[in-house]
Amino acid sequence: MDLNQKGSSFLSEVVQASGETLQACYQCQKCSAGCPVAFAMDILPNQVLRHIQYGHREKVLSSKTIWICASCYSCSVRCPNNIDIAKIMDTLRTLALHSEFKPGEKDIPIFHSAFLDTIKSKGRIHELSLILQFKSKTRDFFKDAALGLKMYRKGKIKLLPSKFSGGKEIKEIFNAFEKGART
Amino acid sequence: MKEISYYPGCSLHGTAREYDDSIRGVLSLLDIQARELEDWTCCGASSAHCTDEDLAVDLAARNLAIAEKSNRELLVPCVACYSRFKVAENEVKEHSKKSRFSYHGNVPIRYSLDFFCDEPILDEVKKKRVKPLTGLKVVCYYGCLTVRPPKLTGIREYENPQHMDRLMEALGAEPVQWSYKTDCCGASLVMTRTDIVRKLGERLLSMAKEAEADCLVTGCPMCQANLDMRQEEFEKETGEKYDLPILYFTELMGLALGHKDVKKWLGRHLTDPVKVLSSKGLI
Ligand code: SF4
Ligand code: SF4
């Protein structure tokens, strides 16, 4: 079967955005065999590639897998066809955020957006601000509270963010990102 | 005196303070002056590359552009920052990606572990060592991004790296073999899918115990935080007692080189390292 001729627009979208020739995948499953978080995924990395080839857009973009992937690059270094699967996962997350589908994992995309909000407002990640921001978005205030107290006692929690003066540049970076077009 | 640029990154200003302090301490014992990048900002870490590629490159490139103003090499202790910088460098140099900053890919980006494992530094360490870490059995835990992907890190032995092992030998410690050197600890999911992280963490700790290690050594602030601070939680879950100190390689360097602040650094750990080090007569 010639996957190119079959013409899946989702396939070409992912190929173009990632720059990876994922048509070359021949389903040897090496990627999934070495994936440390495969046990928690709803579709395995090799299956993700297969679904993309078949144009199953919703299946892939609303999967848990793309968010659970920890970007450890084990799959990418082991693929006999040199497909950078970790990079494809990045592409899929970006496409998912721009899609109409509900993300397959609730908290992970929220965490990333809290993280980016913290950079936008403070330039650096001030851990306490990040945690508060994340918790206010998920409304789960009690998880890890005891651990937080222990860390505080060990001097591991800084109460105030550090000052920085690169605010203008950071603002420009985020303006471009939010507009979705970079100059 | 040799001078280098230094990008501490956000973790080293918070949970990984002892990593920052021990790096600065060891550098000064080796007569290397670290100049912190002026006005650095967050590298974007995993959240930027999980969201948007241009955003990820710009957040990294802003810092690299500052570093490029001098001709010093750039020392990066956090492996997440290091990885983001290497990706941005590769995008700019190999794929002619434009960032909004004046950065051309001309600054050598050095991950701290690689930097301290350079031959001349290892020789210097052997010469200046005042307290060999005799009898200390360590497992070297490299984690993911210190070695992968090799096209960015340049590490040839990425399935079974040896450089941290060589450094530990130079300090007089005994690196024991285990098969989990480059396995992922899942730290990027620590706030969101604690259940997954627990599984990965428990396996690493029990394998290190099976290898009969006295401690686990790392150069990654996320791995350290995950395995040190959540260890008690892992113990409650499995009913096993690990009691395994998770040390930064720079803390052990400081110990062997006789730095005066070692106890202060070790005092910040949640899983106490002093007990095992003093039982070996090292502290
Ligand atoms: S390792 Fe590569 S070729 Fe094999 S299944 Fe995974 S992506 Fe396909
Ligand atoms: S990069 Fe993602 S998919 Fe690949 S092995 Fe690591 S966690 Fe699994």
Side-chain angles (χ1 to χ4, degrees):
Chain A
M1 178 184 51
D2 187 338
L3 291 163
N4 283 320
Q5 260 183 15
K6 193 166 168 260
S8 136
S9 62
F10 183 47
L11 171 63
S12 33
E13 192 181 0
V14 180
V15 169
Q16 212 188 5
S18 67
E20 293 297 310
T21 42
L22 55 97
Q23 301 95 320
C25 168
Y26 50 44
Q27 291 296 314
C28 71
Q29 304 186 18
K30 254 186 128 176
C31 48
S32 304
C35 174
V37 290
F39 67 88
M41 289 175 164
D42 51 357
I43 22 179
L44 296 173
N46 69 295
Q47 295 171 328
V48 169
L49 292 230
R50 189 52 129 201
H51 282 301
I52 300 171
Q53 289 174 342
Y54 282 144
H56 298 160
R57 195 162 177 271
E58 176 167 7
K59 178 95 185 163
V60 172
L61 296 187
S62 59
S63 70
K64 291 176 173 303
T65 295
I66 58 174
W67 296 106
I68 285 176
C69 162
S71 304
C72 76
Y73 286 97
S74 296
C75 49
S76 305
V77 300
R78 289 179 188 161
C79 173
N81 291 313
N82 270 322
I83 303 170
D84 190 344
I85 303 127
K87 185 163 183 203
I88 294 170
M89 294 290 183
D90 270 350
T91 302
L92 295 173
R93 288 182 278 249
T94 305
L95 292 176
L97 289 174
H98 289 101
S99 77
E100 64 276 32
F101 310 121
K102 206 170 125 217
E105 280 286 315
K106 186 175 121 305
D107 288 354
I108 301 173
I110 296 180
F111 176 78
H112 292 318
S113 93
F115 196 98
L116 293 175
D117 284 353
T118 311
I119 304 179
K120 188 178 160 188
S121 64
K122 307 211 157 41
R124 298 177 184 169
I125 290 299
H126 172 243
E127 286 151 341
L128 188 60
S129 306
L130 168 63
I131 290 167
L132 293 176
Q133 172 91 318
F134 175 62
K135 287 192 179 287
S136 75
K137 290 189 183 206
T138 56
R139 317 219 58 80
D140 182 3
F141 289 98
F142 294 104
K143 192 178 160 204
D144 291 334
L147 180 60
L149 192 63
K150 261 190 242 158
M151 288 166 63
Y152 176 70
R153 290 210 190 100
K154 289 280 180 183
K156 281 185 175 281
I157 294 188
K158 212 163 109 180
L159 292 178
L160 293 174
S162 39
K163 290 207 178 70
F164 84 110
S165 53
K168 198 173 143 271
E169 286 168 15
I170 292 292
K171 223 186 190 153
E172 283 167 13
I173 297 177
F174 277 92
N175 276 344
F177 160 61
E178 280 153 15
K179 275 203 220 106
R182 205 170 62 163
T183 44
Chain B
M1 189 185 260
K2 184 182 157 120
E3 283 194 356
I4 49 164
S5 298
Y6 180 56
Y7 174 89
C10 307
S11 296
L12 278 80
H13 273 210
T15 42
R17 265 172 77 185
E18 64 273 29
Y19 192 21
D20 189 39
D21 290 344
S22 57
I23 288 176
R24 291 175 195 268
V26 169
L27 285 173
S28 77
L29 292 178
L30 296 172
D31 293 320
I32 299 170
Q33 171 119 45
R35 300 212 169 273
E36 185 164 332
L37 276 198
E38 217 167 292
D39 217 17
W40 58 269
T41 41
C42 176
C43 72
S46 47
S47 294
H49 77 77
C50 286
T51 305
D52 184 81
E53 193 187 341
D54 289 344
L55 177 67
V57 169
D58 277 344
L59 286 170
R62 181 182 178 274
N63 297 297
L64 295 171
I66 300 173
E68 210 167 71
K69 286 187 194 147
S70 86
N71 54 9
R72 295 187 286 261
E73 53 185 337
L74 177 66
L75 183 67
V76 185
C78 170
V79 76
C81 311
Y82 170 67
S83 185
R84 295 327 306 162
F85 287 171
K86 291 301 279 187
V87 169
E89 176 191 50
N90 187 56
E91 287 300 321
V92 167
K93 263 171 109 164
E94 306 299 326
H95 303 286
S96 323
K97 186 159 191 104
K98 298 263 176 300
S99 91
R100 58 177 50 246
F101 300 98
S102 165
Y103 166 63
H104 308 95
N106 294 331
V107 54
I109 306 166
R110 301 298 313 278
Y111 169 53
S112 55
L113 176 64
D114 301 345
F115 176 87
F116 285 111
C117 289
D118 280 348
E119 261 336 301
I121 298 214
L122 279 187
D123 290 343
E124 188 77 4
V125 166
K126 282 182 211 154
K127 246 188 276 163
K128 292 195 165 163
R129 189 178 79 180
V130 293
K131 189 188 288 171
L133 307 180
T134 316
L136 187 68
K137 286 184 171 178
V138 304
V139 282
C140 293
Y141 179 52
Y142 297 77
C144 325
L145 301 175
T146 60
V147 293
R148 285 192 298 266
K151 63 174 188 248
L152 296 185
T153 63
I155 302 285
R156 259 171 299 169
E157 304 157 302
Y158 59 87
E159 292 283 9
N160 184 13
Q162 302 292 338
H163 47 302
M164 197 198 301
D165 296 64
R166 281 195 292 272
L167 175 62
M168 289 301 124
E169 279 165 10
L171 301 179
E174 184 192 331
V176 289
Q177 287 313 310
W178 70 323
S179 336
Y180 293 81
K181 279 182 172 178
T182 62
D183 278 36
C184 175
C185 77
S188 63
L189 299 168
V190 78
M191 296 281 297
T192 48
R193 286 295 303 266
T194 324
D195 57 323
I196 297 177
V197 173
R198 205 180 288 147
K199 276 220 171 75
L200 301 179
E202 283 161 11
R203 196 182 52 185
L204 287 169
L205 293 173
S206 59
M207 289 302 129
K209 284 308 258 192
E210 203 173 286
E212 298 184 351
D214 298 314
C215 60
L216 178 148
V217 188
T218 179
C220 172
M222 278 91 47
C223 300
Q224 200 281 341
N226 187 15
L227 297 174
D228 174 40
M229 303 198 294
R230 298 208 172 252
Q231 195 167 134
E232 203 182 311
E233 183 183 320
F234 300 159
E235 286 177 343
K236 273 190 199 135
E237 166 85 12
T238 57
E240 265 184 69
K241 192 85 188 128
Y242 304 114
D243 216 357
L244 186 78
I246 312 295
L247 293 162
Y248 289 111
F249 69 93
T250 43
E251 292 177 307
L252 288 180
M253 289 181 83
L255 183 60
L257 296 172
H259 198 282
K260 61 176 181 14
D261 291 337
V262 173
K263 273 204 168 149
K264 212 191 280 171
W265 308 336
L266 300 179
R268 293 228 163 82
H269 291 235
L270 265 66
T271 307
D272 176 33
V274 175
K275 208 166 39 188
V276 65
L277 293 175
S278 66
S279 79
K280 308 266 169 191
L282 297 172
I283 206 162

